[in-house]
Amino acid sequence: MTTRGGDGAGTTEERASRPAPLAMVVGPTRLAPSVRGRLADQAPPITDHRFLAEVRETMQLLRPVLGTAEGEVFIVPGSGTAGMESLAVSLLDPGRPALVLSTGMWGERWQELCSSLGLSSRVLRAEPGRGLDLDEVASRLRDESYQAVLLTDVDSSSGVRADVAALTALARRHGALSLVDGIAAAGAEEVRQDDWDVDAYLTSPPKALSGPGGLFLVSLRTRALRVLIERTWSPRGYSLDLGRWLPVMRALAAGGFAYFQTPPGSLVSALAESLRLIVAEGGERTRRHTALAARLRNGLATTGLRLFTAAADRAHGVTVFRTPTGIGAAELVAAVERHGVVLQAGTHPTAAKHTVRIGHLGNHTADDVDRTLAALGAALAEFDVPDG
Ligand SMILES: *Cc1c(COP(=O)(O)O)cnc(C)c1O
C-alpha cells in the first residue's frame, strides 16, 4: 500500500496531529460518545440479569424503529450481508424460485447469495437510478409462481428508495413472501413493517442506526414465522438459521435465558444505547434526514452536479451524483479527501466509475453538509472542466 500524499503519509506524530477527515459515507457511520463508551465496557456474563434485561430492552426499542408491534425480533451476530444470507437460508425453500427486485448492487448481492446457496432465483432489474416499474413486477409475478420477493428498501449504490408498500402488496397478491433489506434505510427513513405488510425486515446497526458493526437485526411477522416453524426442507446453514435462533429469542423476550451462541455483549450494549438515542429523537430524526438531503442536493445543483437518482425515487440518507464529464469517480473522491472530507466512489453495477456516493445518514448535521459542499467545490475547482 502506498503512503505517498495520502492520509497515511508522514511520521506517526504528523499523522496524529492531522485533523480526522469528515467521513460522509454510507457506513460505518459516526457513533455518539455514549455509544462508543459502551463498546469499551467489559462484556457482562451472558446470564447476567442486567444484560438479559438490556437485550429485552433492545428488542423493544427496535419496534418503533422498524414500525412493528407484531414482529418477532432477532438480534444475531454477523454483518449485514450475513443477515441477508440468514433470511435466505431460513425462509427460502430450495425447491422453489424467488424473485429478486433489483435497484442496484444490493439486488445483485441477493441474487449472488441465492445462487451460491443453491437457491433458485430470477432477477428483475430497475432502470439505473430508478425504482421498479410496478406493472413489470406484476407481470413477472403473474408469469411464474414465486415463493418470495427479495428487495432492497434503500439501495446505497443507486440512491433509490423502493416503494416497499406497493411491492409487498403485489407479492402478497401472488402468494409470495416479502423479504426486505432495510440496512441503509432504518434509522434514516420511516419504516412501517406492519402497515406495509412486510414479512421479514432486516437491518444492521452501522448504517443509519449509528450503532456498532457486527450484529444484524431481523423482524419476522406471522407468515414468515409460519414458514420457519413448518418448513419441511432442511435449511442450508447452521449459525445463520433463524429456526435455531427462534427459541433463544423467545426465551429472551420472555425474560429468561437460552443459549445458542455467545452474544457479543458489548455490541448489544452499544446497540441498545444507539437505539435509545434514536427513540428519544423520535420523528425529528426522519425530518432531520429529509432536511439534510434537501440542503445537500440544493448545494450540489448550485455546483452544477447532477444526481444519478430520479427525483421520485430518492432516499433521504444517501445521495448519488454523476461526476462531471471527463472526471472519474476515484479521482474526484481523492481530490475531495485532500480537502478533508471522505466520500465514496460509486458501486452501481453499470455506473460505478462515474458516480459518487455521499452518506448523510445517522448523526450528521447541517455543518457537515456545508463542509462537504465546500470541499467538493474546492476539489472541482482543481479540475480543468468546461462550465456547465
Ligand atoms: C451495507 C449494506 C449491506 C451490507 O452490509 P455489510 O455489513 O457490509 O455486509 C447490505 N444492504 C445494504 C442496502 C447496505 O447498505
Side-chain angles (χ1 to χ4, degrees), residues 272-296:
E273 179 61 13
S274 62
L275 291 173
R276 282 182 207 113
L277 297 175
I278 289 170
V279 169
E281 191 177 359
E284 180 50 29
R285 191 171 178 92
T286 48
R287 283 195 290 279
R288 176 167 58 80
H289 280 85
T290 303
L292 290 182
R295 188 182 187 95
L296 176 66

Side-chain angles (χ1 to χ4, degrees), residues 26 79-81 84 106 109 152 154 156 181 183-184 204 207:
V26 178
S79 65
T81 303
M84 297 170 73
W106 300 109
R109 181 158 292 190
T152 316
V154 168
S156 48
D181 165 4
I183 291 172
S204 81
K207 303 277 176 74

Side-chain angles (χ1 to χ4, degrees), residues 192-350:
R192 291 169 37 200
Q193 185 185 12
D194 290 354
D195 292 348
W196 295 345
D197 203 12
V198 172
D199 298 311
Y201 197 92
L202 161 74
T203 192
S204 81
K207 303 277 176 74
L209 297 180
S210 315
L215 297 169
F216 64 84
L217 315 166
V218 172
S219 166
L220 299 186
R221 289 170 67 246
T222 314
R223 290 184 198 88
L225 285 165
R226 198 179 309 135
V227 169
L228 202 61
I229 293 163
E230 296 176 1
R231 63 191 181 186
T232 51
W233 38 272
S234 18
R236 303 194 163 179
Y238 179 75
S239 291
L240 296 177
D241 177 16
L242 296 176
R244 293 186 186 272
W245 284 99
L246 184 62
V248 175
M249 298 316 299
R250 284 187 167 169
L252 291 166
F257 171 75
Y259 171 79
F260 176 38
Q261 296 168 36
T262 304
S266 313
L267 297 185
V268 173
S269 233
L271 170 64
E273 179 61 13
S274 62
L275 291 173
R276 282 182 207 113
L277 297 175
I278 289 170
V279 169
E281 191 177 359
E284 180 50 29
R285 191 171 178 92
T286 48
R287 283 195 290 279
R288 176 167 58 80
H289 280 85
T290 303
L292 290 182
R295 188 182 187 95
L296 176 66
R297 290 162 192 175
N298 287 337
L300 293 175
T302 308
T303 316
L305 293 167
R306 286 184 306 128
L307 297 196
F308 179 68
T309 320
D313 299 310
R314 286 176 196 154
H316 299 98
V318 47
T319 295
V320 183
F321 68 85
R322 297 175 190 276
T323 58
T325 312
I327 305 180
E331 53 175 342
L332 181 56
V333 166
V336 175
E337 184 158 355
R338 288 195 292 275
H339 292 277
V341 177
V342 181
L343 308 181
Q344 291 170 316
T347 49
H348 189 275
T350 64

